[in-house]
């Protein structure tokens, strides 16, 4: 990293990170050398420890992306965040440890053919082995149902954990007679449920999000963050979304609907919460502890939501 990089905002403020506090937050006590093995361990630890959540928006507060604010929220107060927050602090940690980090922006599709704005943040990461092996990695710690480990940045590369499989696919999109764009799509295939494959095609593979290799900087993510935290059509403005992946299980809260998914077989348990139950579920299931005022505001936000039809297990 050069002084010019720091002054022009092309880096991730790794020097400002309280590294010991961050590592304690995610529970990583292993090696810190910038190797692929360390990257896998850090990625897994972060995804398992730090939940996905949009509660600041629900509580009527802005979502700052500066490192001091992120350290206060995600580390000191043991809260979670959504993709921009996760990727921003993970980038700072990796940069501090000597990894090569480049931000990327992705378009969340979830199987839709409609072109959506680039409002998801992922990282392209080089390790100490990259000059010799050429291997580069995609880290996606803030998707909510993120892969537990990084995926090699190569066509057809993937990872499997529990009943979930992920892979990257590359394609070339023609934009004119002389211009083409390289696009990469992260796809997921989960375990079948009752004999049916859930996904976007006959094999159960679902397109999660699509990105290009064009570098993105912290200032670019500020723009995307503003859109998803304020635009009236943003799903994060309309209802709470909280997710956490644990060993063998994925927990999610969509509004007042609590969904528990067993990763090995894809089976799900769905329950509609009463508003007053919300803060307790946040604490017991997602590890998010709100103070009394925020807990009351969160319960009130659930009360204002349209009631979902009664769900069956």
């Amino acid at each position: 990293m050069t002084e010019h990089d720091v002054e022009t905002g092309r880096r991730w403020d790794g020097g400002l990170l309280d590294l010991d506090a961050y590592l304690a937050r995610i529970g990583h006590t292993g090696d810190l050398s910038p190797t692929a093995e360390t990257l896998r361990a850090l990625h897994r630890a972060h995804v398992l420890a730090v939940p996905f959540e949009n509660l600041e928006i629900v509580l009527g507060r802005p979502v700052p992306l500066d490192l001091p604010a992120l350290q206060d929220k995600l580390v000191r107060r043991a809260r979670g965040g959504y993709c921009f927050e996760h990727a921003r602090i993970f980038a700072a940690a990796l940069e501090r440890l000597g990894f090569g980090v480049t931000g990327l922006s992705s378009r969340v599709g979830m199987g839709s053919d409609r072109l959506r704005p680039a409002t998801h943040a992922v990282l392209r990461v080089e390790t100490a082995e990259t000059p010799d092996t050429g291997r580069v990695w995609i880290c996606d710690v803030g998707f909510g149902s993120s892969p537990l480990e990084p995926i090699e940045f190569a066509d057809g590369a993937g990872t499997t954990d529990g009943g979930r499989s992920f892979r990257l696919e590359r394609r070339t999109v023609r934009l004119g007679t002389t211009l083409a764009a390289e696009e990469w799509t992260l796809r997921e295939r989960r375990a079948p449920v009752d004999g049916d494959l859930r996904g976007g095609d006959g094999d159960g593979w679902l397109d999660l999000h699509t990105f290009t290799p064009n570098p993105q900087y912290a200032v670019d993510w500020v723009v995307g963050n503003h859109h998803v935290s304020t635009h009236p059509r943003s799903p994060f403005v309309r209802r709470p979304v909280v997710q956490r992946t644990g060993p063998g299980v994925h927990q999610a809260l969509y509004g007042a609907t609590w969904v528990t998914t067993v990763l090995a077989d894809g089976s799900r348990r769905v329950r509609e919460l009463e508003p007053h139950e919300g803060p307790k579920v946040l604490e017991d299931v997602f590890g998010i502890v709100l103070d009394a005022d925020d807990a009351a505001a969160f319960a009130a936000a659930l009360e204002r939501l349209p009631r979902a039809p009664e769900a069956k297990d």
Side-chain angles (χ1 to χ4, degrees):
M1 179 183 354
T2 68
E3 184 176 336
H4 177 75
D5 292 331
V6 175
E7 290 178 351
T8 56
R10 287 180 168 82
R11 298 296 175 176
W12 302 100
D13 299 324
L16 301 179
L17 180 70
D18 185 341
L19 183 60
D20 289 341
Y22 171 76
L23 294 174
R25 170 73 172 101
I26 67 172
H28 178 80
T29 58
D31 186 62
L32 297 179
S33 57
T35 64
E37 182 178 358
T38 299
L39 182 64
R40 284 191 288 269
L42 291 169
H43 193 290
R44 175 178 288 268
H46 183 107
V47 171
L48 292 175
V50 186
F52 179 101
E53 49 117 322
N54 68 333
L55 298 181
E56 293 302 282
I57 303 171
V58 175
L59 296 171
R61 295 193 287 256
V63 182
L65 295 184
D66 61 281
L67 197 63
L70 291 176
Q71 289 194 108
D72 177 65
K73 182 187 177 189
L74 276 67
V75 177
R76 186 181 68 81
R77 293 190 284 131
R79 287 277 304 279
Y82 54 36
C83 63
F84 293 111
E85 298 169 278
H86 282 269
R88 181 74 171 85
I89 199 167
F90 195 61
L94 296 182
E95 181 181 82
R96 176 71 173 272
L97 292 172
F99 292 91
V101 185
T102 302
L104 303 174
S105 290
S106 195
R107 303 177 189 275
V108 177
M110 298 303 293
S112 172
D113 292 331
R114 184 164 60 90
L115 187 67
R116 292 172 173 170
T119 56
H120 180 54
V122 297
L123 300 172
R124 176 192 183 276
V125 180
E126 298 179 356
T127 70
E129 302 99 334
T130 298
D132 294 326
T133 66
R135 300 181 76 185
V136 177
W137 304 89
I138 293 296
C139 292
D140 188 9
V141 293
F143 193 66
S145 57
S146 294
L148 289 183
E149 294 189 353
I151 299 174
E152 185 178 358
F153 197 0
D155 190 19
T159 182
T160 298
D161 56 79
R164 304 186 307 165
S165 295
F166 300 87
R167 75 181 182 209
L168 278 175
E169 294 185 2
R170 175 185 176 179
R171 66 173 180 165
T172 300
V173 178
R174 285 286 172 187
L175 302 175
T177 56
T178 61
L179 182 63
E182 175 186 306
E183 291 188 349
W184 293 79
T185 299
L186 180 65
R187 311 189 76 203
E188 178 182 8
R189 184 178 188 271
R190 300 181 180 180
V193 178
D194 297 329
D196 292 328
L197 290 168
R198 292 176 292 148
D201 60 26
D203 292 328
W205 285 96
L206 177 70
D207 293 354
L208 299 181
H209 57 82
T210 298
F211 58 91
T212 68
N214 299 329
Q216 299 287 290
Y217 307 109
V219 67
D220 299 312
W221 286 356
V222 169
V223 177
N225 179 58
H226 177 73
H227 175 87
V228 299
S229 64
T230 64
H231 196 284
R233 294 183 62 184
S234 167
F236 296 148
V237 170
R238 297 195 293 266
R239 63 174 182 171
V241 180
V242 187
Q243 299 186 59
R244 187 171 191 178
T245 299
V249 66
H250 180 259
Q251 302 282 2
L253 188 65
Y254 305 111
T257 304
W258 173 20
V259 181
T260 301
T261 303
V262 178
L263 299 181
D265 61 11
S267 60
R268 302 197 310 164
R269 179 173 60 85
V270 181
R271 181 184 165 203
E272 191 72 14
L273 297 179
E274 294 298 325
H276 71 272
E277 297 178 291
K280 185 77 164 104
V281 170
L282 284 182
E283 181 173 349
D284 292 347
V285 177
F286 299 95
I288 298 172
V289 180
L290 301 179
D291 63 28
D293 289 342
D294 283 353
F298 177 65
L302 295 183
E303 184 72 47
R304 291 192 295 268
L305 292 173
R307 301 301 290 174
E310 184 176 351
K312 297 181 180 179
D313 291 349

